[in-house]
Amino acid sequence: DAMVIQNPRYQVTQFGKPVTLSCSQTLNHNVMYWYQQKSSQAPKLLFHYYDKDFNNEADTPDNFQSRRPNTSFCFLDIRSPGLGDAAMYLCATSPGHSYNEQFFGPGTRLTVL
Amino acid sequence: KQEVTQIPAALSVPEGENLVLNCSFTDSAIYNLQWFRQDPGKGLTSLLLIQSSQREQTSGRLNASLDKSSGRSTLYIAASQPGDSATYLCAASDSNYQLIWGAGTKLIIKP
């Protein structure tokens, strides 16, 4: 089945140790998104790609970077994780036209020790 | 600036009841409105998407409506079941294909 896949599902890292989260999609969608979601809060958009065009939200910390090497894959790099970066990280995709339903992966739960 | 509100924040009803979850938005210039379900510690599952030109969408026991003039959307769940217990989020899509989120309604269906 076409889907959005995130790896790993659970990631534990140490304070300040870089970490990379991955997302892949078989939907062939143009747009990919990274969200951060903390407990009992709505998802917060970090970045999105429309094809290769990168769009950074104004309040996304510089500590967060992203790469999209091809249509299918997108990576979230956290260069120096702090305790406040512990959260669920959600990847989503959408076709990128007017019928723009977003499809989400299962998320990666990041713990920072 | 678009703002999306969901009231109540939590709702508990007995199994078998029909129920309505509410979502309101301040700017009627939306592309679409999407309802999601989220189970604890899990990702988001898309339930229904209503285009701005549509009034409602149905999927099984779920029916979502959209009234742009009043800035409201509702999600109707018929014959609720304990498995419907989850947090339900609505999100309005703007012209940049970005979602503006409500804070969600945590629904508990009591057996």
Side-chain angles (χ1 to χ4, degrees):
Chain A
D1 288 340
M3 56 182 11
V4 181
I5 302 163
Q6 290 188 245
N7 285 304
R9 295 291 308 279
Y10 301 92
Q11 177 72 58
V12 180
T13 191
Q14 293 180 335
F15 183 95
K17 185 175 181 181
V19 66
T20 295
L21 311 182
S22 73
C23 177
S24 63
Q25 55 130 341
T26 60
L27 298 160
N28 202 33
H29 282 170
N30 290 323
V31 191
M32 294 188 77
Y33 308 81
W34 278 106
Y35 290 89
Q36 179 193 65
Q37 187 181 29
K38 296 188 176 181
S39 182
S40 301
Q41 296 182 18
K44 177 182 181 298
L45 183 64
L46 296 173
F47 339 84
H48 74 279
Y49 282 90
Y50 194 110
D51 287 331
K52 293 184 179 179
D53 291 336
F54 175 71
N55 297 273
N56 192 30
E57 293 304 295
D59 57 353
T60 298
D62 292 339
N63 195 28
F64 291 84
Q65 304 287 320
S66 184
R67 296 169 282 136
R68 189 179 185 185
N70 54 53
T71 300
S72 301
F73 285 87
C74 196
F75 300 95
L76 173 63
D77 301 307
I78 309 176
R79 293 190 297 187
S80 182
L83 297 179
D85 297 327
M88 175 75 87
Y89 289 87
L90 297 165
C91 174
T93 73
S94 69
H97 51 62
S98 59
Y99 191 86
N100 201 52
E101 186 172 3
Q102 287 196 20
F103 296 87
F104 282 77
T108 295
R109 169 74 65 186
L110 178 68
T111 300
V112 182
L113 300 177
Chain B
K1 179 184 174 184
Q2 178 74 275
E3 293 183 2
V4 178
T5 304
Q6 292 185 252
I7 295 174
L11 180 65
S12 179
V13 300
E15 178 179 5
E17 283 198 5
N18 303 325
L19 60 99
V20 174
L21 304 181
N22 296 299
C23 173
S24 61
F25 47 94
T26 56
D27 187 348
S28 62
I30 61 173
Y31 263 57
N32 57 52
L33 191 133
Q34 202 167 348
W35 282 92
F36 295 89
R37 168 186 173 140
Q38 188 170 35
D39 294 289
K42 306 292 186 182
L44 292 155
T45 301
S46 178
L47 297 174
L48 290 164
L49 179 144
I50 312 176
Q51 291 282 72
S52 62
S53 58
Q54 298 174 322
R55 296 298 300 269
E56 65 177 337
Q57 283 287 325
T58 298
S59 176
R61 294 183 294 108
L62 305 180
N63 176 279
S65 69
L66 177 64
D67 184 343
K68 287 175 57 179
S69 62
S70 66
R72 291 190 61 205
S73 177
T74 61
L75 179 67
Y76 174 84
I77 302 176
S80 59
Q81 304 170 358
D84 295 329
S85 298
T87 295
Y88 291 80
L89 296 106
C90 69
S93 178
D94 65 14
S95 59
N96 294 316
Y97 310 125
Q98 295 186 25
L99 293 178
I100 313 300
W101 295 85
T105 294
K106 183 176 182 179
L107 177 64
I108 297 173
I109 307 299
K110 297 175 290 186

